Structure formats: C-alpha cells, structure tokens
Amino acid sequence: MTKHYTLLIFIIVSSIILTACNQQLRKQEEAIEENKEVEVKEQISLNGVFLNTTWGEVTQKLAEEYENETGVSVNIELVGRDMIFQKLALSIAGNANYDLFNVDYNWVPELVSTNSLLPLETYIEKNKVDTEGFLPRALALTQWNGENGGYGEGGNIYGLPQTIHPHILWYRSDLFEDEKLKSEFKAIYGYDLSPPKKMQQFRDIAKFFNGKMVNGKKIYGWAGQASEGFGNVHTWLTFVYSNGGDVIDWNKMTSSLSTPEVIEATKTWIDLLQFSPPGINDYTFSEVSADAAEGNVAMAIHWSWAADKVDDRAYSNTVGQWEFVQTPAMKSSVPHLAGWSIVIPRTSKYPEEAFKFMVWLESKQNDVRQAQMGGGDPVRLSSYLVPTLKQLKVEGTDVNKFRRYEAVNEAMKTAKARPFFPQEEQWESVVTGYLHDAQLGKMSLKKH
C-alpha cells in the first residue's frame, strides 16, 4: 500500500508540475506572439518623396511627431520636381520602395491612365474620412473621372491636397496710397488709383508706374513669369481663362488656340509685357519674387504662397508693403490654379499606413500648422477662418502675415486648373515655345 500511495503521490505531483509547465509555456508563447506584433509594428517604415520646398520641409518635421505618436516612421526625401516623377516611375516598376509621393496635380491624369496610383475611395470609406472639409477646387486636383478635360467634374479620388496657390494680384500698398502718385494718376486717367479689377485698369496702372522714379529708385509696372519652359504658359493661362477662353476643344480634342478669346487674351498678355522689367521674357518664379522683394515693380501676377517671401526681412526690402486682391478680369477673374497633392503608388507595401499618415497630415489641425510653419496655403476652408492664422503678425510688425487669405479664398471660387488630360505636360512643352516666339515678335498670332 505504501508503494501504491507513493506512486499516486508521484503521479499527482508530476501532473501538477506538468500543468504548471504547460501554463508557463503558453504564457511564454503568448508573450512571444505579443512581442512579435510589437516588433512588426515597430518595423513599419514608410518612405515618401516630396518636393524640396517649404511644404516638403514641413512634412519632414511633422513626420517626426507622427512617429512619436504612432511608432510608424515616415522617411521623407526632398528632391526636385523632375526627380519626383523619376522615383515614382521606379517605384511602379518595382525597382524602388516608396509609399507616398508629393505630386504636381497635372500629373494625376497621366498617372491614373497608366494605373500607377492607388484609388482611395475604399480607404476613405473604411476610415470614415470627411472629404467635404476640403476646398472643392483643391480636392478636385486629386480627382479624375477618366474624361479629358474632366477637372472639377468629380471622379475617383487618388490623393489628398496638401497646398494650393492660385494666381492673385500683388500690389504695393505704399505706392497706391501715396497722395502725390494718386493725384498724378487721376490727372492723367481721370479716375482714382486703386487695385485694378478690370484689365484696362491694370494696363493703365502698369503704364503709369513703368519707368517711374520713386524715392530715387526706378520701378516698373508689373512682373509675372514669362520664361520659355512652362513659366510663360502659367501666366498666360490666367489671361486666357479670364477672357472666357480655353486651350482645347474637349469634345473634338482639337486646339482652341486660334479662337477669338485666346487670340485676344494672348495679344493682351504680350502687350502688357512692355510695362515689365528688362529681360521679362526670361523671368521664372525666382525673378518675379526677387523683383517684388527688391521693390522693383508696382504689381505682380504671382502665386499666392510666394507672398511669404516678401515678408521675410532676410530676403526682402518691402516687408509689409504688399497687398493682395483678385487677378484683373477681361470678362471675369478666373486665375490659373496651381497646387500639390499627396498620392500612394499602387506598389506601396503599406497602403493602409500610408493613408493614415496622409489623413493625419491633412487633418484640420495640421492643415493650420503647416501654414503656420510656412508650408504653403491651406487646403481646407476652415483654416481660412481660424483666428490663429488670421491674427498672426509678420515678425517685428503689426501687419497680418496671412493678409492674402481673403484674396486666396475668393480666387478658389473661380480658379481653373491647367488642361486636365494625360498629355498635359507634353502640351505645355510645345505651347511654351510658340508663346515665346510670339513674345519676341517672331510669330504672328493670326497664323497660329
């Protein structure tokens, strides 16, 4: 009996030990599984390519915060415009590993037509993202319905807008408010000097200021991008659109450049260049911004976000002197719209995580923060009403830093994109040469 009792005790003890061991083993296995999940999450690393400009730099900074909040790292490369397209092509071909791209909006139809971008409707619905808070014309930069010329006509959403910068009219308030200049202008033209609403007024004012000596400095009437290689196309489009013209007949897919509206707009554009600084036909974005900052011109037709530059004391001699209104109308004010969006390539390894970062970056709070940090003009209507931005002052002055926002908000009600079709960039590369020849008087407008 003693032997049986001892055996029974041994069996019970062994069973207890075995059960304890099994429980411990299960706990260890569960811990290992939990650690694996943590490790997987920690290993998620998104790679993005953004334009090497203010909003790209801001994205880099905010990405660090996102990693602290979520554990997901977002590595942002800042490169030039052409390099973005090259890296996106490599990614689509499977020769690079990227999850996010910052794109110029005119690429969207081309990239969609080659099946390069991830449509986002499923992600938007799953994550309950409210897209109605975006400015309609900003969101439209990320949409395409597959139809040539389909900007603003709805369609699938392939990204989220990050920044917009429509053309607005810049004018020197110190010159326009000068009593001597006001009297002189009225004596010549018979009406008060004020920011021009019509194109004829714009011409009168440009002519009036062109070559004038002000405080010992010679100034010119106005400046705008006019260089061959897209710059001239971008400014010229504001004239075409404002005259009720378009550059392509979308029903026939034929050129509209010989229509009366386009011919008149082109003649007006070229005529006005005579009231610009010498060398205007080679002016890029940089020269227009530099002339404004130096006080060399009385007006400019320029992108809205560039206004930050003329309020930077390290760069500008005209801090606080510029004000902003709508571009002058021929028939109506329809400024050319530019903007940059964020898209996900179809080859992303982490599309869900990439989408979450994109939504976080373009949230209401971060749309405002990007503007505060100098990242460009907001893409949400609510941002233009936020006191934080409306009341922010230019450093060392009592001038509102974002005083252009009223003009930007108005511009976004009528602004029009570049021709919205897959071959847009090729179209620009052809048209820019013809425009340049016309600007130099080498081509008759009646023949083309």
Side-chain angles (χ1 to χ4, degrees):
M1 176 158 180
T2 304
K3 289 171 65 177
H4 290 299
Y5 181 77
T6 303
L7 179 61
L8 180 60
I9 294 296
F10 175 79
I11 291 171
I12 292 171
V13 172
S14 297
S15 177
I16 293 171
I17 293 172
L18 184 60
T19 300
C21 288
N22 286 337
Q23 290 176 343
Q24 183 65 29
L25 183 60
R26 279 197 299 272
K27 287 182 179 179
Q28 290 175 349
E29 289 174 346
E30 289 172 0
I32 289 171
E33 288 301 317
E34 289 177 0
N35 287 336
K36 280 184 179 178
E37 290 179 6
V38 171
E39 287 172 5
V40 169
K41 188 172 183 180
E42 289 176 347
Q43 289 171 357
I44 292 179
S45 181
L46 302 176
N47 298 310
V49 180
F50 279 63
L51 187 66
N52 187 18
T53 191
T54 55
W55 56 87
E57 294 168 358
V58 167
T59 302
Q60 270 190 335
K61 294 174 183 176
L62 291 176
E64 296 176 6
E65 291 186 19
Y66 186 77
E67 182 173 2
N68 292 334
E69 290 182 18
T70 66
V72 176
S73 65
V74 185
N75 305 309
I76 301 296
E77 294 179 36
L78 300 182
V79 300
R81 185 177 184 273
D82 292 343
M83 185 59 69
I84 293 176
F85 203 92
Q86 292 175 28
K87 286 181 177 287
L88 201 155
L90 288 172
S91 184
I92 296 303
N95 296 322
N97 178 27
Y98 291 109
D99 306 284
L100 295 156
F101 282 93
N102 189 210
V103 297
D104 202 341
Y105 74 85
N106 65 306
W107 293 342
V108 170
E110 179 178 354
L111 294 171
V112 172
S113 69
T114 57
N115 198 31
S116 300
L117 302 184
L118 190 71
L120 299 182
E121 277 81 359
T122 301
Y123 296 90
I124 290 171
E125 184 177 345
K126 178 181 176 181
N127 293 276
K128 296 180 173 58
V129 176
D130 179 13
T131 58
E132 293 190 4
F134 291 104
L135 291 162
R137 281 177 166 78
L139 185 64
L141 298 177
T142 72
Q143 294 177 274
W144 193 45
N145 61 5
E147 299 291 331
N148 290 325
Y151 169 74
E153 297 178 3
N156 290 332
I157 297 175
Y158 292 93
L160 292 181
Q162 183 177 21
T163 182
I164 46 92
H165 34 275
H167 271 157
I168 53 177
L169 177 68
W170 302 21
Y171 71 95
R172 286 270 301 279
S173 59
D174 59 321
L175 301 181
F176 278 66
E177 293 168 6
D178 184 281
E179 293 300 329
K180 181 180 178 181
L181 292 173
K182 287 167 66 176
S183 297
E184 185 180 343
F185 180 86
K186 189 167 186 177
I188 298 172
Y189 295 99
Y191 63 92
D192 292 333
L193 176 63
S194 62
K197 294 182 178 180
K198 301 292 185 180
M199 194 60 71
Q200 183 58 53
Q201 292 173 302
F202 180 69
R203 189 185 192 280
D204 290 345
I205 296 169
K207 183 178 180 180
F208 172 74
F209 279 112
N210 196 56
K212 187 172 290 295
M213 297 296 295
V214 178
N215 297 324
K217 183 181 183 66
K218 185 177 182 179
I219 63 172
Y220 298 89
W222 77 290
Q225 292 184 85
S227 64
E228 185 176 7
F230 305 157
N232 54 1
V233 177
H234 294 178
T235 311
W236 166 75
L237 280 174
T238 287
F239 287 78
V240 172
Y241 292 159
S242 293
N243 201 37
D246 205 344
V247 294
I248 293 173
D249 182 331
W250 298 109
N251 293 321
K252 300 176 182 178
M253 283 307 293
T254 56
S255 173
S256 296
L257 297 184
S258 60
T259 60
E261 293 84 1
V262 175
I263 292 294
E264 182 184 13
T266 306
K267 287 181 176 179
T268 301
W269 144 253
I270 292 172
D271 170 59
L272 281 162
L273 291 175
Q274 66 181 299
F275 307 123
S276 299
I280 188 65
N281 290 310
D282 295 319
Y283 266 42
T284 66
F285 172 91
S286 297
E287 283 77 24
V288 179
S289 297
D291 266 1
E294 287 294 320
N296 294 336
V297 290
M299 298 181 292
I301 291 179
H302 205 21
W303 305 123
S304 59
W305 74 278
D308 281 346
K309 202 73 172 173
V310 292
D311 281 337
D312 182 351
R313 291 192 182 281
Y315 175 82
S316 176
N317 294 326
T318 55
V319 174
Q321 293 178 358
W322 289 95
E323 292 293 339
F324 312 93
V325 293
Q326 299 304 288
T327 54
M330 294 186 73
K331 292 180 178 176
S332 59
S333 179
V334 184
H336 170 204
L337 173 60
W340 283 73
S341 303
I342 308 171
V343 299
I344 301 173
R346 277 192 176 272
T347 49
S348 168
K349 291 183 178 180
Y350 305 112
E352 186 76 41
E353 291 294 341
F355 181 75
K356 287 178 181 178
F357 172 74
M358 182 192 302
V359 170
W360 178 85
L361 185 65
E362 298 312 320
S363 65
K364 286 184 179 181
Q365 177 184 1
N366 285 329
D367 191 43
V368 171
R369 292 182 67 206
Q370 287 185 70
Q372 284 178 305
M373 297 166 72
D377 290 340
V379 293
R380 290 179 172 274
L381 176 59
S382 59
S383 299
Y384 290 85
L385 307 175
V386 172
T388 307
L389 295 181
K390 292 177 72 174
Q391 297 170 6
L392 192 64
K393 304 297 183 182
V394 175
E395 186 177 355
T397 76
D398 61 355
V399 177
N400 290 332
K401 179 176 177 61
F402 295 116
R403 58 195 182 280
R404 66 182 182 271
Y405 277 5
E406 183 176 348
V408 174
N409 200 9
E410 282 299 311
M412 289 303 294
K413 296 176 182 178
T414 60
K416 188 172 178 179
R418 297 194 280 282
F420 219 58
F421 72 126
Q423 296 78 29
E424 194 281 330
E425 200 134 300
Q426 295 95 307
W427 172 85
E428 275 194 73
S429 66
V430 173
V431 172
T432 186
Y434 284 123
L435 268 182
H436 189 69
D437 286 347
Q439 290 165 217
L440 298 178
K442 296 181 178 179
M443 186 186 78
S444 170
L445 293 174
K446 294 180 182 180
K447 295 180 181 180
H448 298 273

